[in-house]
Amino acid sequence: MNENKVTWALSGFGDEISPDPVIQIAVLQALGANHIEVRSTWGTNIVDLSEEDLQRLQGILSEHSMGVSAIASPVGKVDVSEPVEAEVARLLRAIHAAKTLGTRYIRIFSFYRAQDATAESIREPVMERMRALAAAAEAADVILLHENEKDIYGDTPDRVLDIIETVNSPALRVAWDAANFVQVGVRPFTEGYARLRPYLEYLQVKDARMDNQLVMPAGEGDGEMQETINALRDDGFTGFASLEPHLANTHHLGGFSGPAAFGVAGRAFNRILDAAGVATR
C-alpha cells in the first residue's frame, strides 16, 4: 500500500448487527473495523446499562482488542419541553460509559418540537439546553457530536451551524450524516459541507434517496457521498467513519440491519473509499 495513502478509522453501530456484542465485534472486524460505536447492547440502551453490564461489556471489548469510537447516546432526542435536568442526567450516564469504555466522543441531538411549533419558536430553549450539555461535557473533558437527525432543531445545515456558533464550545462538534440531510430535502455536500466542515469531526455513514427518503448503502442514494469523501480526504480528515446502515428497519432510537445487510453496507462504503484512495484501520 502507498505509505502516503490517507487512513481513517472505520467503526460502526454494533446494535445494527445484533444485540450480542460478540457478534457485533466479529462482523465489524470482518469488515476491517477495529472500533465500535456503542448505542445499545443486550437490548439495553447504553445510558440505561447497569454498572455490572457496562463492566462486562468493557471486558468483552478488551478481550477482542476492540476500541470504542463513540457512545451513541439518545441525549437530546426528546421534546424540547422536557426538563433540561433530565437530559443532563442522561448525559452524565453517557459520560460515565464513555470513560469506562475509553472514548471522548458522545453523540447527541438538539430536541424535537410539537407538530404545530416552528423551529424558530424553540430556538432559545434549544440553545439553553445545548449550553447546559456542552458545559457538562467541558467539565468532563469529552466531546459532544451533534447528529443532524430529521425533525430536531438542528436538522438542516443552517440550524446546525446556528447551534455550533451560538453555543460556541470546544466540547460541541458535528457528526455528519448525509442520509439525514437528504431526508429533509438537503443536498448534503452542495448545501452544507463548506459551512460545516470547520466543525465536522465525525462521519456517520449512510445514504438516502431524495424522492422517497429510503435509506440506501453508501453511494446508492442522493447523499453526495463520493464528493464528500473526496473533499474530506483533501481537507486532511483523519477521524472516524462509522457505519449506520439502517437497511432493515428504523425506530425512534435507531435502526437495525442484521449481519448480512451490514456487510453489504460496509462493502459499499469501501468501494467509495477505494475510489477516493482512502484506507481504513
Side-chain angles (χ1 to χ4, degrees), residues 101-229:
L101 300 181
T103 180
R104 292 186 67 211
Y105 288 128
I106 299 172
R107 184 271 308 264
I108 65 164
F109 303 90
S110 57
F111 301 92
Y112 293 115
R113 61 187 180 273
Q115 280 192 332
D116 59 350
T118 64
E120 291 70 24
S121 72
I122 67 165
R123 182 183 184 277
E124 287 310 313
V126 165
M127 296 306 173
E128 174 192 350
R129 283 155 176 75
M130 297 302 288
R131 287 190 186 100
L133 296 174
E138 286 184 34
D141 192 30
V142 298
I143 297 174
L144 305 180
L145 300 168
H146 175 272
E147 179 182 339
N148 52 292
E149 176 80 5
K150 180 182 177 182
D151 294 331
I152 61 172
Y153 178 80
D155 62 356
T156 65
D158 284 345
R159 289 198 290 268
V160 173
L161 188 62
D162 183 26
I163 292 167
I164 299 296
E165 291 185 340
T166 301
V167 175
N168 191 27
S169 168
L172 180 61
R173 289 295 179 261
V174 169
W176 178 273
D177 190 310
N180 291 349
F181 277 140
V182 170
Q183 289 179 330
V184 295
V186 170
R187 295 175 298 163
F189 180 76
T190 301
E191 299 177 42
Y193 182 85
R195 281 175 291 171
L196 295 180
R197 177 62 185 98
Y199 310 104
L200 197 166
E201 195 147 335
Y202 197 93
L203 185 64
Q204 291 183 187
V205 182
K206 64 179 186 284
D207 205 344
R209 290 178 53 175
M210 192 75 76
D211 58 356
N212 56 19
Q213 300 192 338
L214 286 178
V215 177
M216 308 293 291
E220 297 181 20
D222 297 304
E224 302 180 313
M225 296 290 293
Q226 192 70 63
E227 296 94 326
T228 304
I229 298 307

Side-chain angles (χ1 to χ4, degrees), residues 75 78 82-93 133:
V75 171
V78 296
E82 295 292 323
V84 63
E85 293 81 8
E87 289 309 280
V88 171
R90 289 210 296 178
L91 177 59
L92 293 177
R93 294 198 296 273
L133 296 174

